[in-house]
Amino acid sequence: MRKHNFSAGPSVLPVPVLEELRDNMVDYQGTGLSLIEVSHRGKDYDAVHQDALDRLRKELAVPESHKILLLAGGATLQFSMVPMNLLKPGGSADIVVSGSWAKKAIDDLKKLGTANVLYDGKENNYTDLPDPASITASDGASYLHITSNETIGGVQWKSFPRTGAVPMVADMSSDILSRPIDVSQFGLIYAGAQKNMGPAGVTVVIIRDDVLERCADLPAYLSYKIHADKDSLYNTPPVFAVYALDLVMKWVEAQGGVAGIENTNAKKAARVYGVVDANPEFYRCPVNPAVRSPMNVVFRLPSEELEKQFIAESVQEGMVGLKGHRSVGGIRASLYNALPLESAEALARFMEEFVRTNG
Ligand SMILES: *Cc1c(COP(=O)(O)O)cnc(C)c1O
């Protein structure tokens, strides 16, 4: 029996994708070989690679003005690769510090250039975000960095700042493909696959052509230009992860695309936040309701003892991954794209029952 998987990352994958991976693991489509045993320059892998890029472009509605890259190194490599490529010599970048992931982005940025902090959520313990209209890019900034969804704090931008001539860069690791976005607003988007797109091992980077043109000349792997010129086949790509990502993209299409996915995500989030809001004496979500994330629902119970008991009992009910991040405690339910609606409903019923017996 499959568990209800609320893990924050790596996270739940669609069952049809896992089944197709299993069925083709030893003998890929009758070739007598596994796809992970053959050249990444052969026709079988190449077809998958191009299909993954095409499907990403279609489902994310990526305009022709932007290139899509499939890289390794996780979103974490992008914390340094973005400044290495985009910072002008001796330059600075704007950054919105919205939580744990933005802090990692700024740590790497500071090693390579100057960071202008436009907003820091420290005072509200990263439970809120600035009004996008209040964010203005600094004159001469090389780019402005935001984190579209903070996976640990559970806050999500509902609309984005307008940054004018300064390219906007977004870490979308934990909410890419969960809602339609206007890619043309961004100079660069990056996202590790392991939350909404597939297994760990591949990172998607979407970069606008004029930003790409400005990129610094760097050692090969660190250079967006080289990856773009070589269609992300400069070196051996993470072939298994790209194959799985391609299957996830087919699954996304079968769900009615990103719009269909968003619809289901909204139902899942409404169900879980609904129980929190219906029981304010017991459950408490610290996040400003206007910026609550539908991907990562964080909440507290009246005591740490009750939180421990909640997690222990949830495991007995076949639910895993509900323990909050070690840095913040509490409960975190990640409701990524591939989490079935039934899993969110099972959690909501469990939460209701838990208040009845312990409230
Ligand atoms: C998970 C995550 C990362 C880190 O991704 P890695 O692939 O582990 O490097 C970065 N940013 C956000 C928003 C994330 O959710």
Side-chain angles (χ1 to χ4, degrees), residues 8-9 73-79 101-102 104 147-152 171-175 190-195 200-203 296 336:
T76 298
L77 178 58
Q78 299 309 309
F79 296 154
W101 290 112
K104 295 206 168 160
T147 309
S148 62
N149 184 77
E150 282 283 358
T151 322
I152 294 173
D171 176 0
M172 292 198 185
S173 294
S174 53
D175 70 349
Y190 61 92
Q194 69 272 27
K195 278 94 185 202
V202 61
T203 301
N296 310 99
Y336 295 124

Side-chain angles (χ1 to χ4, degrees), residues 47-83:
V48 166
H49 190 88
Q50 297 307 328
D51 197 59
L53 289 169
D54 290 349
R55 287 178 188 278
L56 277 168
R57 184 170 294 280
K58 176 164 175 273
E59 299 306 332
L60 287 167
V62 178
E64 285 306 318
S65 51
H66 289 60
K67 298 272 185 299
I68 306 176
L69 312 178
L70 302 172
L71 306 183
T76 298
L77 178 58
Q78 299 309 309
F79 296 154
S80 54
M81 219 168 140
V82 166

Side-chain angles (χ1 to χ4, degrees), residues 43 134 277 300 333:
K43 71 172 179 8
S134 73
D277 291 339
R300 304 299 308 239

Side-chain angles (χ1 to χ4, degrees), residues 249-307:
M249 298 313 298
K250 289 182 189 168
W251 175 84
V252 166
E253 184 176 306
Q255 308 311 300
V258 172
I261 296 253
E262 181 187 41
N263 200 356
T264 309
N265 285 343
K267 286 184 193 147
K268 293 186 294 192
R271 190 70 180 89
V272 178
Y273 283 117
V275 180
V276 171
D277 291 339
N279 298 280
E281 311 292 300
F282 196 79
Y283 295 117
R284 192 175 48 82
C285 173
V287 174
N288 172 4
V291 296
R292 282 174 174 179
S293 166
M295 297 282 97
N296 310 99
V297 180
V298 297
F299 58 92
R300 304 299 308 239
L301 271 62
S303 69
E304 285 186 19
E305 283 66 50
L306 280 167
E307 288 171 348

